[in-house]
Amino acid sequence: MAYAERVLDYYDNPRNVGTLDKTSARVGTGLIHVPEYIEVVRIQIEVSPARHVIMDARFKTFGCGAAIAATSITTEWLKGKTIEEAARLDHMDIVEVLSLPPAKIHCTILIEDAVKTAINDYRHKNGMEPLQEEEEEEEEAERDYELEEEHN
Amino acid sequence: MLKLPIYLDNNATTPCDPRVVEAMLPYFSETFGNASSRNHSFGWAAEAAVDLAREQVAALIGADPKEIIFTSGATEADNLALKGVFEMYADKGNHIITTEIEHKAVLDTCKHLEKLGAEITYLKVNNEGLPDLKELEAAITSKTILVSVMYANNEIGVINPIKEISAIAKKHGVLMMSDISQAAGKVPVDVNREGIDLAAFSSHKLYGPKGVGALYVRRKSPRVKVTAQMDGGGHERGMRSGTLNVPGIVAFGKACELCQQEMEAEGKRLTALRDKLENALLQLEQTFVNGSKTNRLPHATNISFRYVEGEALMMGFNKNLALSSGSACTSASPEPSYVLKGLGLGDDLAHSSIRFGLGRFTTEEEIDYAIQTVTETVNKLREISPLWEMFKEGADMNTIEWSRL
């Protein structure tokens, strides 16, 4: 499968690989996997408490080259965003920016989940309400629909 | 000088040997006759060339030239054998026994026959990749007409105990078929010594061109017949109609002859290179050989590198190394190799596998390069792998607290 140059670049030289201290109150961790652990994404954000701006973002991914590249480019995007802005991440934006083929959309769904989980982890540690669930349910319904579409 | 990229996917296909190409070239424009043209020298010359090739192909597997039916490849030969036996022996029964790690050319043909009323038993294999012979014998019924077990597996290179299997089949009066595509020309295959009644193989797996193969059909004790699956001019003793692919057949014959001449020395050379590659890669932690290490082809190994994903691995070196992976990360629920799953591997290890297939033109320098490149890429990807980090921290993978949204 031929990938866009950008995927190869982020795969060859992944930015923001690493580990933040998951016990720190400033750090939110999202560790997500698909069944059978054939794809695992971990995204960590370090947030400045004053305005809830993401100062640093790190990742580790077990998965195909596209998943690695997509997680890396997402961590770059996260830096400098407030957690509210970051929560608006749509996995299709990652698909577009890397020109991923349809077969790789599922990787980006996992990444979106990891980002939102990391934000919620930070919110939880700092006594904030989790991201609104209603929205998530809608998204999940949408995801299920998309997964079905891919199966068909 | 090392020339890149390096080809280590010889289980998929092999390059044509230049000596094979040389042998076939005259049969395109000079000696171009139809081997069935009985009335002029063009036809006679083509027929003579096919006769020689038939002898060369037969000699490779210890068969009589009359027992060789030329086809377009192993897939067609598998189809002809299974469908042809099913049709020909319909009076005797409708039951066929095979294994669940056969090539798709066998499995999908069996699935097709099921729709036509066949009963198929798909034997499970153990973690070495071998079926249980007691289970095989127990599966035979009065309706069983054929046992079909591949000689060597295309993904893991494991060689089946064909002689033992055919002895069981023979004891119960059942025909024995084997897809010998991966083994023919690489290890000694003898249809008489090993009791094979039908054998499918292909030219492009043994340094000949694509588009030509053969089905061996036993003529004596027992005399085996298959119903033709293609109607037409009654070529190949009526079993496979269609004008013979003379250049392809000439090349296939030459390729078989070369394999036979060089097999012993080549087997030793490739075993040494394969072992060097395998031993070097097994130096990496959490790295496993898939399938039996004792009964297998000299040029093949299949290795899982735990905590890195096969497709990501290949992306790391596929500019310079041509390999194949048991991973198939291409859909919402990617199914990894059914062969590795059949051996009992978990999805994670099946997705972490790479198949190495060495060949006639593989050099030691190339193996050294492959060792270095694969080692570096595995190490690099493990640095990116959260599972590797957890493993190194001593986490129990079963009790990790996964995030919930």
Side-chain angles (χ1 to χ4, degrees):
Chain A
M1 193 184 308
Y3 285 116
E5 272 303 307
R6 211 162 183 191
V7 177
L8 297 175
D9 175 29
Y10 274 83
Y11 169 86
D12 284 335
N13 309 292
R15 282 69 137 178
N16 304 325
V17 174
T19 308
L20 300 172
D21 175 11
K22 67 177 177 213
T23 62
S24 162
R26 296 161 67 108
V27 172
T29 300
L31 176 62
I32 299 282
H33 71 92
V34 298
E36 309 291 345
Y37 309 105
I38 54 172
E39 214 168 301
V40 180
V41 171
R42 188 186 69 196
I43 287 181
Q44 294 185 298
I45 50 172
E46 186 173 357
V47 184
S48 147
R51 285 177 47 248
H52 301 309
V53 172
I54 296 169
M55 309 302 290
D56 198 4
R58 299 277 152 180
F59 85 97
K60 284 202 176 185
T61 292
F62 166 75
C64 61
I68 291 168
T71 329
S72 176
I73 206 166
T74 303
T75 54
E76 278 198 324
W77 178 84
L78 285 171
K79 287 188 193 182
K81 298 272 188 305
T82 65
I83 55 172
E84 282 76 20
E85 286 166 344
R88 279 181 227 130
L89 170 68
D90 180 343
H91 69 91
M92 285 309 290
D93 296 341
I94 311 172
V95 173
E96 265 171 46
V97 79
L98 287 174
S99 313
L100 293 178
K104 295 292 175 185
I105 291 176
H106 67 284
C107 305
T108 64
I109 295 172
L110 207 62
I111 293 166
E112 186 188 316
D113 277 357
V115 167
K116 291 182 177 169
T117 310
I119 293 169
N120 267 342
D121 183 43
Y122 170 79
R123 292 176 73 99
H124 178 73
K125 280 178 178 170
N126 292 279
M128 299 157 76
E129 291 292 311
L131 295 169
Q132 289 204 347
E133 294 212 353
E134 247 177 293
E135 207 180 334
E136 280 164 22
E137 273 170 22
E138 260 176 43
E139 278 171 19
E140 264 170 34
E142 222 176 88
R143 266 170 225 152
D144 290 344
Y145 174 69
E146 276 162 5
L147 287 176
E148 271 170 32
E149 285 273 288
E150 273 181 59
H151 274 298
N152 294 341
Chain B
M1 258 299 280
L2 192 64
K3 194 168 152 271
L4 297 175
I6 292 165
Y7 187 74
L8 287 179
D9 201 13
N10 285 283
N11 292 42
T13 191
T14 56
C16 255
D17 191 298
R19 294 169 289 181
V20 168
V21 178
E22 195 188 343
M24 82 190 288
L25 283 178
Y27 294 90
F28 284 101
S29 303
E30 294 161 35
T31 314
F32 61 87
N34 186 328
S36 308
S37 299
R38 295 282 155 81
N39 304 318
H40 50 68
S41 63
F42 295 86
W44 301 329
E47 191 185 16
V50 168
D51 285 347
L52 172 64
R54 206 183 292 280
E55 281 170 28
Q56 291 166 319
V57 172
L60 180 68
I61 59 167
D64 185 280
K66 291 194 194 78
E67 297 175 311
I68 298 297
I69 308 295
F70 285 116
T71 67
S72 63
T75 292
E76 189 196 331
D78 283 324
N79 271 266
L80 176 56
L82 289 159
K83 292 174 181 171
V85 164
F86 178 71
E87 216 174 310
M88 181 62 73
Y89 295 86
D91 290 345
K92 183 175 181 266
N94 65 341
H95 181 224
I96 295 171
I97 301 172
T98 186
T99 80
E100 60 177 15
I101 65 165
E102 291 294 302
H103 191 273
K104 287 286 183 192
V106 169
L107 289 179
D108 286 2
T109 304
C110 285
K111 296 236 165 66
H112 178 87
L113 290 176
E114 278 180 306
K115 287 182 206 155
L116 302 178
E119 296 280 341
I120 314 281
T121 300
Y122 302 94
L123 295 171
K124 295 209 175 308
V125 295
N126 63 17
N127 61 2
E128 299 224 301
L130 300 167
D132 182 336
L133 300 192
K134 286 201 191 80
E135 224 171 276
L136 188 149
E137 184 157 20
I140 295 176
T141 71
S142 59
K143 294 279 178 201
T144 309
I145 49 173
L146 184 68
V147 170
S148 179
V149 176
M150 69 204 317
Y151 203 102
N153 184 271
N154 48 309
E155 287 194 32
I156 52 178
V158 170
I159 297 174
N160 278 304
I162 295 297
K163 199 174 171 184
E164 282 80 354
I165 294 172
S166 71
I168 294 170
K170 202 141 293 200
K171 194 171 121 190
H172 295 274
V174 174
L175 294 177
M176 174 72 198
M177 167 195 169
S178 186
D179 181 319
I180 61 168
S181 302
Q182 294 291 339
K186 317 294 171 58
V187 290
V189 175
D190 188 306
V191 289
N192 291 317
R193 196 184 61 224
E194 284 157 301
I196 301 171
D197 299 316
L198 297 127
F201 58 125
S202 179
S203 144
H204 77 99
K205 304 279 194 202
L206 43 81
Y207 310 96
K210 292 157 188 65
V212 58
L215 178 65
Y216 157 79
V217 183
R218 177 173 291 281
R219 265 167 68 94
K220 269 184 209 152
S221 52
R223 182 180 176 88
V224 179
K225 283 184 186 170
V226 295
T227 305
Q229 299 298 308
M230 191 128 61
D231 298 312
H235 306 77
E236 298 298 273
R237 294 170 45 225
M239 285 191 243
R240 202 277 190 180
S241 286
T243 298
L244 293 182
N245 168 9
V246 177
I249 289 167
V250 166
F252 187 17
K254 183 69 183 175
C256 287
E257 183 189 73
L258 293 172
C259 280
Q260 198 176 3
Q261 287 167 355
E262 298 171 6
M263 190 184 299
E264 202 180 334
E266 187 63 0
K268 282 185 191 143
R269 186 185 78 88
L270 286 172
T271 302
L273 283 183
R274 188 268 317 272
D275 290 349
K276 181 179 186 181
L277 172 75
E278 190 172 270
N279 292 334
L281 294 178
L282 288 176
Q283 297 297 309
L284 288 159
E285 277 179 86
Q286 294 290 309
T287 298
F288 313 94
V289 172
N290 296 317
S292 169
K293 281 180 75 172
T294 43
N295 302 309
R296 61 176 167 160
L297 299 171
H299 62 281
T301 181
N302 187 308
I303 303 179
S304 283
F305 303 91
R306 185 171 257 165
Y307 308 127
V308 296
E309 200 274 334
E311 199 199 294
L313 254 179
M314 293 209 295
M315 198 161 153
F317 46 61
N318 71 5
K319 273 177 244 149
N320 296 327
L321 273 184
L323 288 164
S324 159
S325 168
S327 168
C329 184
T330 51
S331 71
S333 58
E335 269 304 305
S337 150
Y338 67 92
V339 172
L340 297 179
K341 294 275 286 179
L343 263 62
L345 261 71
D347 279 6
D348 57 340
L349 274 182
H351 273 278
S352 298
S353 72
I354 298 281
R355 175 180 77 178
F356 298 86
L358 284 62
R360 184 177 285 169
F361 304 103
T362 306
T363 64
E364 181 153 21
E365 201 185 7
E366 289 179 335
I367 292 301
D368 290 337
Y369 180 89
I371 291 168
Q372 193 194 338
T373 307
V374 174
T375 302
E376 281 170 8
T377 312
V378 169
N379 285 332
K380 180 191 152 179
L381 288 175
R382 282 181 169 171
E383 284 307 308
I384 306 177
S385 168
L387 296 174
W388 178 250
E389 184 184 306
M390 293 175 211
F391 167 71
K392 283 313 233 181
E393 284 171 352
D396 177 351
M397 302 308 282
N398 297 317
T399 59
I400 287 168
E401 227 178 278
W402 297 94
S403 306
R404 290 279 171 270
L405 255 181

